[in-house]
Amino acid sequence: MTLKLYELVGSDAARPFSPFCWRTRMALAHKGLTADSIPWRFTEKAAIAPHGSEKVPVLLHGEKAIVDSWVIANYLEDAFPDRPSLFGGEGGRAVMRMLNWWGDITVVGGIFPFIVADIPAQLGEVDAAYFRSSREARFGKPLEEVTAARDKGVIAFRKSLDPLRLTLKTQPYLGGNNANYADYIMFGGFQWARAVSPFRLLEADDPVHAWRERLLDAFDGLARNSPGFAL
Amino acid sequence: MTLKLYELVGSDAARPFSPFCWRTRMALAHKGLTADSIPWRFTEKAAIAPHGSEKVPVLLHGEKAIVDSWVIANYLEDAFPDRPSLFGGEGGRAVMRMLNWWGDITVVGGIFPFIVADIPAQLGEVDAAYFRSSREARFGKPLEEVTAARDKGVIAFRKSLDPLRLTLKTQPYLGGNNANYADYIMFGGFQWARAVSPFRLLEADDPVHAWRERLLDAFDGLARNSPGFAL
C-alpha cells in the first residue's frame, strides 16, 4: 500500500514548512518509509475535508486517512513494528505525549511570533491574504508589530529551551545515542523557521544549535536539502 | 543487601520534604522496595561526605553509595530489572532525562519562591539559620520578600504547567495508564510543597490537582500519610 502525505507549502511546492508536517517527514524517514508528497496550501481546505481534517499533516495509507502528527506517529509505530522504533517502547510512547505538548507550546508557540511576518512572502496571493487576516485576528495586531520585538523576545525563548539544552549536555539526542520521535517533535519547529525566515533563533555555541545541525544532516540531509534560509 | 536512604528532614525527623528525596521514595515504592530512612539535616554535611555527596538523596545499597535522584532511579531500574519498570523501556529512560530537567526547572524551580519563607519554621535553629542565610544570598533579598509576590506569581506557575496539564487530559498519568518515574519527577515537587507550606499551588478543578490526588493515594497513601499541610 502506498503512503501519501499532504504537506503545507506556499508558492514553492517543493518547500514544505509546517512544523507538524516536518515531524511526520522525519518520522517516515526514521521508519525507512517514503511517502508521495501532496503539496497543500492554507486555503485548500476542500482537498483534505474528505479525509476528516482541516489541517495538515494528513497521511494516506491505502484507503486509510490518518490526521494529526501525534496520531500519525502512533500509527506508523503500530503499522510498521518491524522498522526502527519511534518511541523506544511503551514508556517512551507514554511520556512523549508530554514532550509533544512541550514542543507545541515552547518550541512552535515560542518561535511563531518571531517568524510570523516572514511567512506571507512565502505564500501565493490568496494564501498570503488568508494567512495575514487570520493571524492578525489571532494576535490582535499587524504581523509586523508582532515580529518587531523579536530581537528582545529571542533571549527569553533561548532560556525557555533549557530543559532541552541541559539534556543535550549529557546525551547527543533526546532519544539517547540516537534520535527518536522526541527529537523530531522539537526539530520540526526549527525546520519550520528555517524554511520561512532568516531570523537567527540560536547562538552558534548553543548545544541546541549543534543538535539541530545533526538533525539537518540526518537521513542523508533530508532537512538540510529542503529549501530554507542559511542558519 | 539492605537499602538505606538519607532523606532531608527538619525538626520533625518523620517529615521528609526534599522534592528529590520524594522522587526516590516513590521510585522505591514503585519497585516494591523498602529502604531504611536515615533522617538528614541541611547542616549534617559530614554525615554524607564519606559517600561522595553534599546533598540528598543518597541511597546505600550494601556497600555501594548512589548519589543524585536521577542516578538513583537509573540504578534501581538496572539493579532490580524484574521489578516493575520505572521507565518502560530504553526510549522512556532516554527521553525522561528531559522531563527530569523540566521538573527541576518548572516544578521545583517554579515552586521554590512561593514556599521558601515557610521552610525555616520546619527546621531546627542551626539549620534554619543556615537555610536563611544561604538562600537569602541566592535570592539577594529576605525570604519573606521573595514569597510576598506568590499570590500573583502562582498564576504564571499554573500556566507553566500546561504541558503536564494537557497530557493529563488524555491519560491519567505521564506514564500512561499507570504512573512511572516521569510522574514521580513532577510529584516530588508538589509533595515537597505540601510538607512545608500551606500555600495553595493548584486550583481544585485543575487536572493536575486530580493527578496529584491519585499520587498522594498511591502505594497505600505513602505520600498522603507523610506529615504535611492540607491541600
Side-chain angles (χ1 to χ4, degrees), chain A residues 87-99 101-102 105-106 162-164 166-167 170-171 173-176 180 182 186, chain B residues 87-99 101-102 105-106 162-164 166-167 170-171 173-176 180 182 186:
Chain A
F87 301 133
E90 289 311 303
R93 185 198 299 249
V95 301
M96 240 179 264
R97 191 71 193 82
M98 179 169 156
L99 291 177
W101 280 121
W102 188 87
I105 294 168
T106 306
D162 267 353
L164 172 58
L166 290 164
T167 303
T170 56
Q171 58 194 55
Y173 296 100
L174 295 186
N180 70 10
M186 312 311 169
Chain B
F87 301 134
E90 289 311 305
R93 185 199 299 249
V95 302
M96 239 179 265
R97 191 70 192 83
M98 178 168 157
L99 292 177
W101 281 119
W102 189 87
I105 295 168
T106 306
D162 268 353
L164 171 59
L166 290 163
T167 303
T170 57
Q171 57 194 55
Y173 296 100
L174 296 185
N180 70 12
M186 312 311 170

Side-chain angles (χ1 to χ4, degrees), chain A residues 169-206:
Chain A
K169 288 190 174 180
T170 56
Q171 58 194 55
Y173 296 100
L174 295 186
N177 287 324
N178 299 104
N180 70 10
Y181 192 66
D183 293 279
Y184 310 142
I185 290 169
M186 312 311 169
F187 178 74
F190 290 100
Q191 177 70 356
W192 166 52
R194 175 181 171 273
V196 299
S197 174
F199 184 62
R200 199 161 136 265
L201 290 169
L202 300 172
E203 295 186 295
D205 62 352
D206 188 339

Side-chain angles (χ1 to χ4, degrees), chain B residues 45-208:
Chain B
K45 306 286 184 197
I48 54 174
H51 303 304
S53 187
E54 294 191 324
K55 294 177 188 170
V56 292
V58 172
L59 181 72
L60 304 182
H61 187 204
E63 296 298 302
K64 205 178 299 238
I66 309 102
V67 168
D68 177 273
S69 61
W70 176 253
V71 175
I72 291 170
N74 279 270
Y75 179 83
L76 292 175
E77 187 77 344
D78 296 334
F80 302 96
D82 300 333
R83 305 295 187 104
S85 174
L86 290 166
F87 301 134
E90 289 311 305
R93 185 199 299 249
V95 302
M96 239 179 265
R97 191 70 192 83
M98 178 168 157
L99 292 177
N100 201 76
W101 281 119
W102 189 87
D104 288 358
I105 295 168
T106 306
V107 182
V108 176
I111 290 172
F112 196 39
F114 308 149
I115 66 172
V116 65
D118 294 324
I119 292 179
Q122 298 293 324
L123 308 177
E125 199 175 334
V126 174
D127 285 307
Y130 160 79
F131 182 85
R132 179 173 292 278
S133 67
S134 59
R135 272 53 175 183
E136 291 190 343
R138 195 188 297 173
F139 282 106
K141 53 181 141 178
L143 300 186
E144 287 69 17
E145 272 185 39
V146 176
T147 300
R150 66 185 178 185
D151 288 329
K152 193 176 166 201
V154 75
I155 311 287
F157 169 73
R158 287 175 187 153
K159 179 73 182 157
S160 78
L161 300 178
D162 268 353
L164 171 59
R165 177 175 299 115
L166 290 163
T167 303
L168 296 173
K169 288 189 175 182
T170 57
Q171 57 194 55
Y173 296 100
L174 296 185
N177 287 325
N178 298 103
N180 70 12
Y181 192 66
D183 293 279
Y184 310 141
I185 290 169
M186 312 311 170
F187 178 74
F190 290 99
Q191 178 70 356
W192 166 51
R194 175 180 171 272
V196 299
S197 173
F199 183 62
R200 199 161 136 264
L201 291 169
L202 300 171
E203 294 186 296
D205 62 351
D206 187 339
V208 181

